[in-house]
Amino acid sequence: MRNHPGPHTSAPTPEGSDPPPACDVVTVPARQGLEAVDLLRLSTGGTGVGPVLHDRQGDSLAFLVPLGTADAWDVPGSECTRPDGEPPAHDAGWLVPPHTDSAVTDPAVLRAALGEAARTIALVDRLTPDDGAPRQ
């Protein structure tokens, strides 16, 4: 678990890749999403995270999840939508491309990772003043 701010091990990939499977999409703020991707990769050896899009503005990440997830998704600070055959995001690049071990991310695993990411971010924000120096 990361407990300090800094660069993430994840970075957007510019390559084009195969189209994603039919799915729903969970969109979260980039900071929380990047932390969740790192947590998923570390906890599952990289096999627990499916394709993830990162918008070009750096504002959000979109996790591909199984169809039907949007019907019961209720995680605060996130949104789950069904793209209805449209590309999940028009101006985005693949952070985790579709040709991974997982076609989509398991919603229960994603929910847990997003919760842990939110708690980690809250802790870091409490321990780090606005100037970025650690509190003594």
Side-chain angles (χ1 to χ4, degrees):
M1 172 174 75
R2 297 185 51 196
N3 59 5
H4 56 84
H8 285 271
T9 58
S10 305
T13 58
E15 87 265 0
S17 51
D18 298 329
C23 60
D24 288 350
V25 178
V26 172
T27 305
V28 298
R31 186 176 179 200
Q32 183 181 12
L34 289 169
E35 189 70 32
V37 168
D38 283 348
L39 290 165
L40 289 166
R41 284 181 167 168
L42 290 171
S43 68
T44 64
T47 61
V49 62
V52 180
L53 285 160
H54 194 292
D55 73 351
R56 301 280 184 211
Q57 293 78 31
D59 296 332
S60 64
L61 263 65
F63 291 81
L64 277 57
V65 294
L67 275 174
T69 301
D71 298 335
W73 190 259
D74 63 351
V75 177
S78 68
E79 178 182 31
C80 188
T81 57
R82 182 163 298 128
D84 292 326
E86 295 296 318
H90 298 288
D91 189 23
W94 291 109
L95 180 67
V96 179
H99 49 79
T100 63
D101 292 337
S102 300
V104 293
T105 300
D106 180 293
V109 173
L110 179 58
R111 179 185 305 270
L114 290 172
E116 187 172 344
R119 290 187 295 277
T120 300
I121 290 167
L123 177 62
V124 168
D125 287 350
R126 284 195 304 271
L127 296 176
T128 307
D130 292 339
D131 65 7
R135 293 185 194 261
Q136 301 271 332

